[in-house]
Amino acid sequence: MLVLRLLNVVAPAYFLCISLVTFVLQIFVFIPSMFRDPSTTPLFPPALLHGALFLFLSANALGNYVLVIKNSPEDLGKDLNLDKGAEVADWLDGSRSPGSALPGTHFCRLCARVTQRHDHHCFFTGNCIGSRNMRNFIMFCLYTSLACLHSLVAGMAYISATLSMSFADPLAFLTLLPHSISQFFSGALLSSEMFVILMLYLWLGIGLACAGFCCHQMLLILRGQTRYQVRKGMVVRARPWRENLQEVFGKKWLLGLLIPVLNVESNYRRQKEK
């Protein structure tokens, strides 16, 4: 438990550091290197287009990241009277759930709250993912993967121009790291260039991981399931996939694709108001 709590603090700091390094490299290294002779520059230079695209992706990734943290799942334990030690212990070991609880509720040890439609605990946000912030979490994963892959392409273009390398060969990227390490220790490669090459592989790993996680999460949403329900083997009521999507993304799903917006209210809160 101590290791998990430590990871819950270190992981968000790690993500923010990677975001800051990526922003600095893009704005002050990659994009300025795209500027050419002003006399031959077209109306919309590639540097401005790449800069606008990167800022759009970064704003959506960081905006949804903040909304995931801000729009925390509602603590249902206050309404389910889980203040007794025996009842909390039952939630901890998963032996039973109160009769008034909705399906898919779960007590998170790290957050110390009972969340509706609990999916998982995200260490990079330090928060549980549930019905209230699922859409923002999906958008965060999507735009993070796009921002990383965009940084990967811009970084490869920068390395190609700086080191006069060609990535036409598909194996060139695979052999770039071992070849760069040997050049770095022989003194033929600068530390700044080696740092950019290491960041290329980091962006590739984060981008592919976020894209794969986003696709897996979308598949679960289409089936009307959460990761917690799949892990526990819970049976869910079959519904049309359109209803499952609307429950997570709401009616303003197109607006959520373009700008970070808050998720729709949870079904539990609407049921209480009725």
Side-chain angles (χ1 to χ4, degrees):
M1 179 60 66
L2 180 60
V3 176
L4 294 179
R5 292 187 181 276
L6 181 62
L7 182 62
N8 202 44
V9 176
V10 174
Y14 172 77
F15 170 77
L16 293 178
C17 289
I18 295 298
S19 302
L20 180 61
V21 171
T22 303
F23 182 82
V24 171
L25 287 177
Q26 282 273 20
I27 300 300
F28 296 101
V29 179
F30 298 159
I31 294 178
S33 66
M34 299 177 186
F35 283 104
R36 305 301 181 193
D37 185 5
S39 60
T40 61
T41 300
L43 180 61
F44 295 102
L48 296 181
L49 296 178
H50 279 277
L53 178 59
F54 173 72
L55 292 178
F56 171 76
L57 298 176
S58 300
N60 276 276
L62 293 178
N64 283 286
Y65 179 81
V66 172
L67 291 179
V68 169
I69 300 175
K70 180 180 178 181
N71 202 27
S72 301
E74 188 177 7
D75 187 4
L76 306 184
K78 299 177 181 179
D79 301 319
L80 298 176
N81 297 323
L82 295 180
D83 51 352
K84 296 182 180 180
E87 293 183 351
V88 173
D90 290 335
W91 276 90
L92 288 174
D93 59 21
S95 59
R96 71 176 178 88
S97 299
S100 57
L102 295 175
T105 50
H106 173 67
F107 182 84
C108 179
R109 298 169 180 261
L110 297 176
C111 294
R113 64 162 66 99
V114 180
T115 59
Q116 177 199 2
R117 289 190 61 82
H118 175 86
D119 189 86
H120 68 285
H121 182 90
C122 178
F123 290 98
F124 285 99
T125 60
N127 200 5
C128 277
I129 307 301
S131 59
R132 295 184 62 186
N133 57 3
M134 175 59 74
R135 181 179 69 177
N136 297 123
F137 179 75
I138 294 293
M139 292 295 101
F140 161 68
C141 292
L142 174 63
Y143 280 105
T144 299
S145 63
L146 294 178
C148 288
L149 295 179
H150 177 270
S151 300
L152 173 64
V153 174
M156 291 176 62
Y158 173 78
I159 291 297
S160 178
T162 303
L163 303 181
S164 300
M165 296 181 57
S166 175
F167 290 97
D169 185 4
L171 298 179
F173 185 79
L174 299 178
T175 59
L176 175 62
L177 183 60
H179 182 67
S180 301
I181 292 177
S182 61
Q183 285 188 329
F184 175 74
F185 285 104
S186 63
L189 193 66
L190 298 178
S191 58
S192 58
E193 297 170 344
M194 185 64 197
F195 178 74
V196 173
I197 292 175
L198 293 177
M199 290 298 300
L200 294 181
Y201 289 90
L202 184 61
W203 288 325
L204 177 63
I206 296 177
L208 293 179
C210 289
F213 194 88
C214 183
C215 293
H216 174 69
Q217 204 71 37
M218 284 297 301
L219 179 61
L220 293 178
I221 291 175
L222 290 174
R223 296 166 56 183
Q225 291 180 307
T226 63
R227 292 182 61 189
Y228 175 74
Q229 291 173 336
V230 173
R231 188 170 66 251
K232 294 296 182 179
M234 298 179 179
V235 180
V236 297
R237 180 172 59 90
R239 296 188 308 175
W241 61 270
R242 294 181 182 274
E243 293 184 10
N244 296 328
L245 282 179
Q246 185 174 354
E247 182 181 10
V248 174
F249 292 93
K251 296 181 180 180
K252 300 179 180 180
W253 61 271
L254 183 58
L255 181 63
L257 289 177
L258 301 177
I259 59 175
V261 292
L262 286 175
N263 203 349
V264 294
E265 289 187 339
S266 64
N267 293 334
Y268 181 80
R269 177 177 296 180
R270 288 200 295 264
Q271 290 178 6
K272 291 195 303 181
E273 292 176 352
K274 293 181 181 179

